[in-house]
Amino acid sequence: MLKATFLGHSCVMATDGEHNIIIDPFLTDNPQATIRAEDITVDHVLVTHGHRDHLGDAVPIAKNNDAPIIAPNELAFYVARQGARMHNMHIGGAHDFPFGRVKLTIAHHGSAAGDNLEYTGNPCGFLITMGGKTMYHPGDTGLFYDMKLIGDMHPIDLAFLPIGDNFTMGIDDAIKAVEFLHPKKVVPIHYKTWPVIDTEPAEFAKKLKDMPVEVVILAPGESVEV
Ligand code: NI
Ligand code: MN
């Protein structure tokens, strides 16, 4: 069993009933957030890239919980310089953690952190196998054809896909991503947080109605189980 809770924008918490992880914990200053960073209890923190709407509260949450931050190498060393414990990985690599297995996937995007946009290496996505189920969180990315390879090599029970356009895939590209990844369930993310990414999840769902996928639209705080 894997239960994933959407916490607004691109932030997802996941549990197998025993272990708890959080991905891209942008809560402070997130207009969609319904929970405070201080109230998060997790074993591990996963961060796809250094942009503030993803790195967010990762360092304070990691410190409060004595939880390592799993991130691409350059970003992992950045959070270590802020005093957080880290586990550095890189694209194509997988590792078995107490909660499950994490594999880093490519993402077509940028990665920089802090007010001076300090370079934090390549952004990534995460393929996470936990509670016997596999979940894909691509981070911020444009559509890429290797999603077909990811979907063919790893049966995906649950995929979170950005649909907001401007910074990431928009709706039509995200639909192509669903075709490539063929997940059982898909949850749209990274939309409506700000006016520039004001796309409609209902349009995404409508355009997928004839495809063999269940579209689950989650309000911040809501969960899906696979
Ligand atoms: Ni970004
Ligand atoms: Mn973003």
Side-chain angles (χ1 to χ4, degrees):
M1 182 281 286
L2 188 162
K3 182 180 168 191
T5 304
F6 178 53
L7 295 181
H9 194 55
S10 199
C11 180
V12 175
M13 263 185 95
T15 184
D16 60 359
E18 186 187 354
H19 306 94
N20 298 289
I21 63 170
I22 193 165
I23 306 160
D24 286 357
F26 169 54
L27 298 169
T28 305
D29 298 329
N30 176 353
Q32 297 185 335
T34 57
I35 184 168
R36 299 181 313 161
E38 308 82 288
D39 299 326
I40 297 289
T41 304
V42 286
D43 311 303
H44 283 80
V45 179
L46 287 74
V47 185
T48 59
H49 65 293
H51 293 160
R52 72 173 187 96
D53 59 317
H54 297 260
L55 179 59
D57 302 289
V59 170
I61 290 171
K63 287 181 180 175
N64 288 345
N65 291 275
D66 193 27
I69 294 178
I70 300 167
N73 185 67
E74 293 77 6
L75 178 57
F77 278 95
Y78 175 87
V79 298
R81 289 196 293 278
Q82 323 288 316
R85 291 171 60 206
M86 62 83 162
H87 181 110
N88 55 330
M89 296 182 69
H90 234 309
I91 290 159
H95 184 78
D96 290 311
F97 293 92
F99 65 86
R101 187 167 179 84
V102 176
K103 184 176 184 183
L104 264 61
T105 57
I106 59 169
H108 290 318
H109 195 65
S111 184
D115 293 338
N116 298 320
L117 289 181
E118 187 176 333
Y119 178 62
T120 47
N122 279 314
C124 76
F126 293 116
L127 259 180
I128 301 163
T129 303
M130 185 174 182
K133 301 289 180 178
T134 297
M135 167 172 104
Y136 177 51
H137 189 303
D140 279 355
T141 187
L143 177 66
F144 54 89
Y145 195 67
D146 283 11
M147 284 181 179
K148 183 160 172 29
L149 190 59
I150 294 171
D152 288 350
M153 289 178 70
H154 308 274
I156 297 170
D157 297 290
L158 176 63
F160 292 86
L161 291 179
I163 64 160
D165 227 333
N166 193 77
F167 301 112
T168 67
M169 295 186 283
I171 287 172
D172 291 337
D173 284 10
I175 284 163
K176 201 72 190 169
V178 171
E179 195 183 311
F180 290 160
L181 294 161
H182 45 86
K184 290 196 182 110
K185 295 187 185 187
V186 63
V187 178
I189 59 172
H190 211 277
Y191 64 91
K192 289 203 185 296
T193 320
W194 303 288
V196 73
I197 55 172
D198 187 16
T199 57
E200 291 302 331
E203 184 191 335
F204 177 66
K206 192 177 168 199
K207 288 184 168 177
L208 283 170
K209 69 175 176 4
D210 295 327
M211 281 178 64
V213 63
E214 182 185 342
V215 182
V216 183
I217 298 171
L218 297 177
E222 290 182 342
S223 304
V224 59
E225 205 173 303
V226 290

